[in-house]
């Protein structure tokens, strides 16, 4: 077992250095962020300016504002001696070899003998940076390549040198996965390592299609974006976000660094890119790049005139129908398409897959490392070799040969030995000379895909939910509805599963899934349809049923743990608030957002919010409760969503004892362990909330005035104010003339009474319809 880092230093307060420091602070470390001293005045002026700028970044780089206090600012002149106290130093200064070498020489004279030192360079040889240092120092040195933004992109490439101690590499791999929440891959000390080598090649293929093959920017981005399982930024939006100057720098350096790469010429800088950078057209940071937003319209660059023009109709055939297919079917259909869309996709795909295969074992030892790098660092749903398998191993191989593309001997050997894929099932990969061998899998993660593949683990299911056996007497209720919404089937299934929990010898229940998001809330399509047809009795029954189920979850005789991640909105948030125990990924975005669709929370969200407000105060006096109540009212009235699980605790959506994990992939494992722990202790459900303090009409007047101010300030529409007034009425206990203690059932009834009439309002129905159509809230 390794010792976790407690203190760290980041040298260089640029964009990457500051964000790396922030993520280390998010993980609980005390971090020293140092930069060059200012030439005049306060020597900390440069680092303070950089840090102040970083605090304004969106999305935020810190989990909460409090975390920023863990970062201690300094400069190289006055505070370099602090490095004698830290466990880990990360160098992130300018990409100049001599500067880094001089810094390493200075570092070696200061740091402890057990301090690990790493560089975040992406373009320089790792070994060259410490070539003048002692053997002891070189053994504690390696590359740690974070991807930007470090908080949100999962990939961390570790690049050991020939001198790096294997224990140092393993400690950083362990710490990166467990404490930083990273997907770690080990790369070779080669130019641009894994992710940027393959990712830059993919961008260059897109540029080539634009400059040489007659495809428009929009057509290329369509064929390299969400349609094929990649981010919506695709090729040209990605280039704009990265910065055209940065892209130019990377391409130039890469071209010089890979003289033996058989595809080197693809990395020759296109003249148009050089011209754009020369004229200050740098992408998003300069307001224009390959795209430019003007008067609300997105324009793209004309290759011939370099003028910005509205998008022309795409000549890609009937690809709209393809977008509705599951990913693998979509990819196969596009690959077989004989029109312009299929022709480009097929050519670019064959080129990319051939190049990726030829980079083994140059940049990585296994296809797994390359696939993980592209999924974790670039957001691809399938890495190159997973894509190859999806299209058909033999099909792609035959097409490569037909196109006279170079096929590496590794692939030829696989084919000769009868291999029909790079992967066998989920957890075996082909290795030369060994055929398929088990992939290295984390021991502290539960693989739901493997569980679901074995029918014996499914104990109950309907069309939109299932109960799975996690072993050791713990079961998992998994949503399978679209968007993991709380559909009628999911709610009915939850009732059946609670019956099983009470009657079967299970130790406890986990509620969770393996999707990117826990739950999008109520199924608006179902509720909207019932409302439009006037079936309000059915809706009323559903609300009563859902409230009752959440109360059963709260007071179940056996432990129930919610394992959450990503978005947990509306009814999904209310479900989490009902669970007495929660395990949450740090990247959890939770909120009661019902006002955005013209409703108020109706399944206990208001009741539990008011109860938690009282729990956070020093006493039950109205003067103590009022400020907390106002904050909670504003949060719900503005449909605010937490930016992290830690902020969700501050907002009152998650209890203070929530187990928050930096590595969200461990949440089901941790939730199961929590169930077993609670069972061993002798589980007792929480007591009923029979005395919730509500503040009555005086407090309601204050909240209603807040809603009036929101409207007058232009932050809310008249209907927003009406909804906020309904919310204020319930939060303060209705028509009570003074503060009083009420039972939780009293507030639940108020929620029901004021939720249902809103569904008959035309403006609410407009909001629901708009949300279903656009996925965005309507302010009407």
């Amino acid at each position: 077992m390794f010792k976790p880092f407690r203190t760290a230093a980041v040298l260089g307060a640029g964009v990457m250095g500051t964000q790396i420091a922030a993520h280390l602070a998010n993980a609980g470390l005390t971090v020293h962020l140092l930069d060059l001293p200012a030439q005049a005045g306060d020597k900390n002026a440069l680092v303070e300016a950089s840090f102040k700028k970083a605090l304004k970044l969106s999305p935020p780089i810190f989990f909460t504002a409090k975390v920023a206090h863990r970062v201690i600012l300094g400069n190289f002149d006055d505070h370099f001696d602090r490095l004698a106290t830290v466990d880990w130093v990360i160098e992130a200064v300018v990409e100049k070899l001599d500067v880094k070498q001089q810094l390493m020489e200075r570092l070696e004279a200061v740091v402890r003998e057990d301090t690990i030192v790493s560089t975040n360079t992406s373009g320089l040889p790792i070994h060259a940076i410490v070539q003048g240092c002692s053997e002891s120092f070189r053994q504690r040195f390696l590359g740690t390549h974070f991807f930007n933004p470090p908080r949100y992109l999962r990939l961390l490439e570790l690049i050991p040198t020939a001198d790096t101690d294997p224990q140092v590499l393993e400690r950083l791999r362990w710490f990166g996965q467990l404490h930083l929440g990273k997907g770690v891959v080990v790369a070779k000390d080669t130019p641009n390592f894994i992710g940027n080598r393959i990712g830059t090649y993919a961008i260059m293929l897109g540029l080539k299609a634009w400059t040489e093959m007659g495809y428009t920017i929009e057509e290329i981005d369509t064929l390299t974006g969400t349609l094929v399982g990649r981010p919506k930024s695709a090729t040209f939006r990605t280039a704009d976000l990265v910065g055209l100057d940065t892209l130019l720098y990377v391409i130039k350096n890469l071209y010089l660094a890979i003289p033996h790469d058989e595809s080197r010429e693809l990395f020759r800088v296109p003249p148009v890119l050089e011209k754009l950078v020369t004229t200050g057209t740098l992408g998003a940071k300069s307001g224009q790049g390959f795209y430019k937003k003007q008067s609300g319209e997105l324009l793209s660059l004309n290759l011939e005139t370099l003028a910005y023009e509205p998008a022309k109709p795409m000549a890609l055939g009937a690809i709209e129908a393809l977008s509705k297919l599951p990913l693998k079917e979509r990819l196969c259909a596009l690959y077989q398409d004989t029109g312009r869309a299929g022709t480009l996709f097929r050519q670019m795909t064959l080129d990319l897959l051939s190049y990726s295969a030829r980079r083994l074992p140059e940049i990585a030892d296994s296809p797994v490392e390359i696939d993980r790098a592209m999924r974790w660092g670039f957001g691809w749903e399938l890495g190159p070799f997973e894509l190859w398998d999806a299209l058909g191993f033999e099909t792609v191989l035959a097409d490569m040969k037909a196109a006279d593309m170079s096929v590496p001997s590794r692939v030829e050997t696989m084919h000769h030995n009868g291999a029909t894929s790079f992967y066998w099932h989920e957890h075996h990969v082909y290795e030369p000379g060994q055929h398929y061998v088990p992939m290295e899998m984390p021991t502290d993660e539960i693989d739901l895909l493997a569980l679901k593949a074995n029918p014996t683990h499914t104990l109950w299911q309907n069309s939109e939910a299932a109960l799975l056996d996690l072993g050791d007497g713990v079961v998992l209720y998994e949503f399978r509805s679209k968007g993991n919404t709380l559909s009628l089937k999911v709610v009915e299934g939850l009732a059946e599963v609670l019956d099983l929990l009470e009657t079967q010898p299970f130790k406890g229940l986990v509620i969770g899934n393996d999707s990117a998001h826990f739950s999008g809330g109520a199924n608006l399509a179902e509720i909207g349809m019932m409302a439009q047809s006037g079936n309000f009795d059915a809706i009323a029954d559903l609300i009563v049923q859902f409230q009752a189920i959440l109360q059963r979850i709260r007071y179940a005789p056996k432990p129930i743990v919610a394992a959450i991640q990503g978005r947990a909105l509306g009814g999904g948030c209310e479900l989490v608030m009902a669970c007495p125990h929660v395990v949450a990924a740090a990247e959890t975005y939770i909120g009661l957002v019902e006002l955005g669709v013209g409703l108020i929370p109706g399944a206990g969200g208001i009741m539990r919010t008011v109860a938690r407000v009282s729990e956070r105060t020093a006493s039950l006096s109205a003067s103590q409760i009022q400020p907390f109540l106002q904050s909670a009212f504003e949060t719900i009235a503005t449909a605010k969503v937490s930016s992290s699980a830690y902020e969700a605790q501050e907002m009152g959506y998650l209890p203070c004892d929530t187990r928050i994990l930096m590595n969200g992939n461990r949440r089901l494992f941790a939730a199961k362990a929590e169930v077993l722990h609670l069972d061993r202790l002798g589980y007792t459900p929480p007591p009923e909330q029979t005395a919730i303090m509500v503040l009555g009409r005086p407090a309601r007047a204050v909240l209603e005035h807040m809603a009036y101010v929101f409207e007058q300030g232009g932050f809310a529409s008249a209907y927003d104010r009406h909804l906020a007034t309904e919310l204020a009425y319930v939060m303060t206990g209705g028509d009570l003339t003074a503060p009083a203690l009420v039972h939780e059932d009293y507030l639940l009834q108020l929620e029901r009474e004021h939720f249902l009439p809103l569904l008959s309002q035309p403006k609410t129905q407009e909001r629901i319809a708009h949300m279903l159509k656009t996925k965005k809230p309507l302010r009407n």
Side-chain angles (χ1 to χ4, degrees):
M1 185 67 178
F2 295 108
K3 181 181 178 182
F5 300 109
R6 299 303 303 150
T7 57
V10 179
L11 309 182
V15 173
M16 279 302 295
T18 304
Q19 293 194 70
I20 291 171
H23 193 60
L24 296 179
N26 285 334
L29 280 71
T30 300
V31 187
H32 297 273
L33 177 62
L34 308 185
D35 208 335
L36 293 169
Q39 295 295 313
D42 182 1
K43 288 188 176 182
N44 270 5
L46 294 179
V47 69
E48 288 175 358
S50 294
F51 192 68
K52 186 176 181 180
K53 184 178 180 181
L55 289 175
K56 299 177 182 178
L57 289 174
S58 181
I61 61 176
F62 289 104
F63 287 156
T64 69
K66 293 178 182 177
V67 175
H69 297 300
R70 294 184 192 141
V71 179
I72 303 169
L73 306 182
N75 64 80
F76 291 167
D77 277 2
D78 297 336
H79 307 114
F80 210 78
D81 59 331
R82 293 181 188 168
L83 305 184
T85 67
V86 302
D87 303 324
W88 180 14
V89 177
I90 301 175
E91 171 272 305
V93 300
V94 63
E95 289 283 278
K96 292 184 178 180
L97 183 59
D98 59 336
V99 173
K100 292 179 184 289
Q101 289 174 334
Q102 292 166 17
L103 188 59
M104 290 302 152
E105 183 179 346
R106 189 177 174 189
L107 263 177
E108 185 172 8
V110 174
V111 298
R112 300 193 314 255
E113 292 186 357
D114 63 342
T115 297
I116 292 176
V117 179
S118 65
T119 175
N120 192 60
T121 183
S122 59
L124 296 175
I126 302 296
H127 66 277
I129 294 173
V130 288
Q131 62 185 10
C133 297
S134 68
E135 181 180 359
S136 171
F137 189 84
R138 296 198 308 272
Q139 288 174 343
R140 295 178 281 123
F141 177 82
L142 74 167
T144 47
H145 185 214
F146 291 83
F147 273 60
N148 189 27
R151 172 182 165 182
Y152 297 98
L153 283 186
R154 192 178 172 204
L155 180 61
L156 171 60
E157 291 178 322
L158 298 183
I159 309 98
T161 71
D163 295 318
T164 304
D165 185 334
Q167 287 295 99
V168 168
L169 175 64
E170 286 307 310
R171 184 183 181 193
L172 273 177
R173 187 207 292 261
W174 167 80
F175 188 82
Q177 290 173 339
L178 187 66
H179 294 277
L180 298 183
K182 293 297 180 183
V184 177
V185 299
V186 177
K188 304 290 186 68
D189 189 4
T190 56
N192 285 55
F193 315 129
I194 299 175
N196 282 346
R197 183 75 170 271
I198 303 299
T200 303
Y201 190 84
I203 289 177
M204 298 308 294
L205 288 174
L207 285 171
K208 180 181 178 181
W210 182 53
T211 58
E212 299 180 16
M213 300 170 65
Y215 287 85
T216 68
I217 284 177
E218 288 82 6
E219 287 174 335
I220 296 163
D221 270 359
T222 297
L223 295 173
T224 58
T226 55
L227 181 70
V228 298
R230 297 185 193 173
K232 62 181 180 181
S233 56
T235 297
F236 291 97
R237 286 187 181 87
T238 295
D240 279 352
L241 290 170
V242 168
L244 303 195
D245 52 341
T246 302
L247 179 62
L248 179 65
Y249 174 82
V250 169
I251 295 169
K252 280 186 173 180
N253 282 348
L254 189 55
Y255 183 82
L256 294 174
I258 53 172
H260 303 298
D261 189 320
E262 72 290 331
S263 298
R264 183 191 189 204
E265 285 307 304
L266 186 71
F267 293 103
R268 189 179 289 278
V269 176
V272 64
L273 181 59
E274 190 99 58
K275 188 170 184 177
L276 289 172
V277 173
T278 301
T279 59
T281 302
L282 307 180
K285 57 188 169 187
S286 68
Q288 60 185 37
F290 291 112
Y291 288 101
K292 178 180 182 179
K293 200 165 190 179
Q294 185 173 295
S295 302
E297 184 179 10
L298 191 63
L299 310 178
S300 59
L301 198 66
N302 181 301
L303 177 62
E304 302 300 327
T305 65
L306 296 188
Y308 291 94
E309 301 175 346
K312 298 176 182 177
M314 294 187 293
L316 297 180
I319 61 168
E320 289 287 331
L322 293 183
S323 64
K324 299 176 182 178
L325 297 173
L327 179 60
K328 291 188 179 181
E329 292 180 31
R330 191 189 320 155
L331 291 168
C332 289
L334 186 57
Y335 185 82
Q336 298 297 335
D337 178 68
T338 57
R340 287 182 79 246
T343 298
L344 181 61
F345 174 70
R346 190 163 49 252
Q347 183 169 333
M348 292 179 68
T349 298
L350 290 173
D351 203 336
L352 177 69
L353 301 188
S354 175
Y355 186 76
S356 299
R358 295 196 302 272
R359 298 284 68 80
L360 292 170
E362 177 196 345
I363 65 174
D365 287 327
S366 168
V368 176
E369 303 292 296
I370 292 179
D371 282 346
R372 287 175 172 171
M374 300 316 296
R375 283 192 280 109
W376 295 340
F378 285 80
W380 293 10
E381 291 187 50
L382 297 175
F385 298 97
E386 293 167 316
L387 173 58
W388 193 325
D389 276 1
L391 296 174
F393 177 80
E394 294 186 351
T395 297
V396 171
L397 181 59
D399 289 343
M400 281 182 182
K401 291 180 177 179
D404 201 26
M405 290 185 178
S406 176
V407 177
S409 59
R410 174 193 185 105
V411 178
E412 293 281 21
T413 300
M414 286 177 61
H415 188 240
H416 178 76
N417 290 342
T420 57
S421 67
F422 289 93
Y423 296 95
W424 172 61
H425 294 312
E426 292 296 327
H427 302 315
H428 290 75
V429 63
Y430 189 92
E431 289 293 346
Q434 303 176 64
H435 300 287
Y436 292 98
V437 299
M439 289 166 53
E440 180 184 353
M441 300 300 294
T443 57
D444 58 354
E445 295 179 16
I446 291 176
D447 185 358
L448 283 192
L449 282 176
L451 281 180
K452 288 184 277 192
N454 186 341
T456 62
H457 287 286
T458 301
L459 306 177
W460 171 95
Q461 65 179 332
N462 65 21
S463 59
E464 296 189 354
L467 186 68
L468 302 174
D469 184 2
L470 296 182
D472 301 314
V474 181
V475 289
L476 168 74
Y477 185 66
E478 181 195 26
F479 309 159
R480 294 178 178 176
S481 53
K482 185 177 181 181
N484 291 329
T485 56
L486 299 171
S487 65
L488 297 175
K489 286 286 187 181
V490 169
V491 174
E492 291 169 2
L494 194 49
E496 291 188 49
V497 164
L498 290 174
D499 289 340
L500 292 173
L501 181 68
E502 293 177 6
T503 59
Q504 299 297 315
F506 301 136
K507 293 179 180 177
L509 172 71
V510 174
I511 300 176
N513 55 62
D514 58 356
S515 302
H517 302 289
F518 177 73
S519 174
N523 187 313
L524 285 178
E526 290 180 345
I527 292 177
M529 193 176 299
M530 286 189 286
Q532 285 187 341
S533 63
N535 196 357
F536 294 105
D537 288 342
I539 298 175
D541 290 342
L542 178 62
I543 295 170
V544 170
Q545 180 188 10
F546 192 41
Q547 282 188 344
I549 288 172
L550 296 193
Q551 289 293 84
R552 287 183 67 189
I553 288 174
R554 183 74 181 173
Y555 302 121
K558 297 176 183 177
I560 297 178
V561 179
I564 66 174
Q565 76 293 339
R567 290 190 289 271
L569 305 177
C573 175
E574 291 180 293
L575 171 59
V576 173
M577 293 177 75
C579 285
H581 306 280
V582 182
V583 170
E587 298 298 344
T588 295
Y589 319 116
I590 184 170
L592 296 171
V593 297
E594 284 85 352
L595 271 78
V597 290
L599 299 168
I600 63 171
I606 297 176
M607 178 269 288
R608 291 184 219 286
T609 296
V610 175
R612 288 179 181 178
V613 163
S614 300
E615 291 168 0
R616 298 170 74 180
T617 57
S619 73
L620 291 182
S621 70
S623 61
Q624 293 255 340
I625 293 174
Q626 184 73 44
F628 289 93
L629 185 67
Q630 289 176 211
S631 177
F633 170 75
E634 181 177 344
T635 295
I636 300 175
T638 57
K640 184 178 180 182
V641 176
S642 74
S643 63
S644 70
Y646 290 98
E647 188 180 40
Q649 285 181 310
E650 292 183 354
M651 294 164 68
Y653 288 139
L654 293 180
C656 59
D657 62 353
T658 299
R659 294 192 181 275
I660 300 177
L661 307 175
M662 290 292 285
N663 186 343
N665 287 352
R666 301 178 62 242
R667 64 188 180 277
L668 296 178
F669 172 87
K672 176 185 173 181
E674 187 73 5
V675 167
L676 294 174
H677 171 68
L678 292 167
D679 175 70
R680 282 194 295 269
L681 291 177
Y683 183 68
T684 302
E688 269 191 63
Q689 293 175 308
T690 58
I692 300 173
M693 177 61 75
V694 293
L695 301 187
R697 288 181 188 172
R700 188 171 90 226
V702 174
L703 301 187
E704 288 177 348
H705 180 71
M706 288 177 63
Y708 167 77
V709 172
F710 290 156
E711 181 190 14
Q712 293 301 304
F715 300 106
S717 68
Y719 196 58
D720 289 326
R721 181 183 171 188
H722 169 69
L723 295 169
T725 300
E726 294 289 302
L727 173 66
Y729 184 90
V730 178
M731 290 187 77
T732 54
D735 281 327
L736 297 174
T737 57
L741 294 172
V742 300
H743 193 280
E744 58 188 8
D745 289 342
Y746 175 83
L747 287 175
L748 288 174
Q749 182 176 342
L750 280 179
E751 286 187 32
R752 294 195 302 271
E753 291 174 351
H754 288 262
F755 177 92
L756 195 62
L758 290 172
L759 278 168
S760 63
Q761 296 295 315
K763 287 187 180 295
T764 289
Q765 294 185 6
E766 287 173 14
R767 290 190 176 199
I768 292 174
H770 187 270
M771 177 64 74
L772 289 171
K773 182 178 180 180
T774 67
K775 309 300 182 187
K776 296 178 181 179
L778 172 68
R779 282 187 60 191
N780 55 354

